[in-house]
Amino acid sequence: MKILISNDDGYLAPGIVALAEVLASIAEVVVIAPDSNRSGSSNSLTLDRPLSVYRAANGFFAVNGTPTDCVHIALTGLLDYTPDLVVSGINQGQNMGDDTLYSGTVAAATEGYLFGVPSIAFSQVGYGWTNLDAAARVAREIVLRRFDTLQKPYLLNVNIPNLAYEDLKPLKATRLGKRHQSEPVVKTEDPRGREIFWIGPAGGAKDAGLGTDFDATANGHVSITPLQVDLTHRQQLAMLESALA
Ligand code: MN
């Protein structure tokens, strides 16, 4: 099995180092990731300049671009083969509900999925890189499951509670929950008196009911949500057709 690994926290982040290490024991891995933290970069491609690739001492490839750039160039010219799987992460911080739209971690996996490669995004709840060994062990177990009965390509969004391995509850299939709108922007002044805006944190969970990623992880379960990319609102489409008739 050949696995392409990326992330949005940058190629030096402990999460991607841990992920590459555990997956190297079960597959041939290549790591191609942003050269700096590009969290929140969503599915953006860099189109206004060319991208450079630098091979770091540990063998990882660092790209001066976004997570989506990394997977895109890997699959369209950097690699001379198509990987069997694209994995992204392990992200520092959860990517649940609306987070998935902003997340660079999910975006890297989405790019693999859009190129027809089964892809999995891994995120760990919380900050501080604690219990990373547990999260990496879970990621390895999930990759080993292979999910042969799922329609291919699949795109899975995994959120792992920040707990010791023994305290983690079984994997749970979930749907995305929903957040309240983001906290207000922080409006202040720079040292030269110019107005600046600092985007606030994501809002709290609004729909965290049974069956959601929020609920599963809050109860210690590892959450796995199958994602798709078609944003069409089917019900609105029918209503729009009626409105235009
Ligand atoms: Mn991140």
Side-chain angles (χ1 to χ4, degrees):
M1 181 164 47
K2 290 188 169 75
I3 301 180
L4 166 61
I5 303 175
S6 194
N7 76 346
D8 74 358
D9 294 332
Y11 76 107
L12 294 173
I16 199 168
V17 173
L19 188 60
E21 196 174 294
V22 292
L23 295 185
S25 67
I26 57 169
E28 188 181 314
V29 302
V30 61
V31 177
I32 305 176
D35 64 0
S36 62
N37 192 322
R38 304 299 299 264
S39 294
S41 57
S42 192
N43 304 90
S44 59
L45 283 172
T46 301
L47 302 177
D48 58 347
R49 58 176 172 83
L51 297 163
S52 303
V53 180
Y54 152 77
R55 184 144 205 193
N58 64 357
F60 290 9
F61 292 95
V63 179
N64 60 344
T66 66
T68 300
D69 288 332
C70 293
V71 175
H72 191 96
I73 64 172
L75 299 180
T76 56
L78 183 55
L79 299 178
D80 57 6
Y81 60 89
T82 302
D84 302 296
L85 188 70
V86 171
V87 302
S88 178
I90 300 167
N91 188 58
Q92 185 182 41
Q94 61 190 22
N95 278 306
M96 304 197 286
D98 314 351
D99 303 338
T100 51
L101 287 174
Y102 298 96
S103 168
T105 304
V106 175
T110 301
E111 193 67 2
Y113 168 77
L114 290 174
F115 276 93
V117 182
S119 300
I120 310 176
F122 292 103
S123 302
Q124 189 191 37
V125 177
Y127 294 87
W129 301 116
T130 51
N131 294 307
L132 195 52
D133 54 332
R137 193 168 159 189
V138 167
R140 181 179 181 274
E141 288 170 3
I142 289 173
V143 168
L144 280 173
R145 280 185 176 247
R146 290 177 166 274
F147 300 106
D148 287 331
T149 56
L150 291 184
Q151 191 185 324
K152 281 196 181 165
Y154 52 75
L155 174 58
L156 301 176
N157 185 43
V158 178
N159 281 279
I160 305 165
N162 197 326
L163 295 169
Y165 185 80
E166 310 75 59
D167 299 326
L168 285 168
K169 303 254 181 63
L171 311 181
K172 202 163 209 172
T174 58
R175 64 179 172 87
L176 296 180
K178 198 154 175 40
R179 287 187 183 280
H180 288 282
Q181 64 185 56
S182 292
E183 300 290 324
V185 73
V186 176
K187 193 173 159 184
T188 178
E189 279 182 359
D190 76 4
R192 286 159 198 85
R194 292 172 294 208
E195 195 174 46
I196 50 171
F197 298 86
W198 206 339
I199 291 177
K206 185 178 187 181
D207 172 12
L210 205 62
T212 63
D213 43 9
F214 288 105
D215 182 67
T217 53
N219 288 296
H221 289 278
V222 175
S223 163
I224 309 186
T225 309
L227 300 181
Q228 61 181 359
V229 172
D230 181 358
L231 296 177
T232 309
H233 192 314
R234 303 280 164 193
Q235 206 182 346
Q236 285 279 50
L237 178 61
M239 295 194 303
L240 180 63
E241 278 168 349
S242 301
L244 295 178

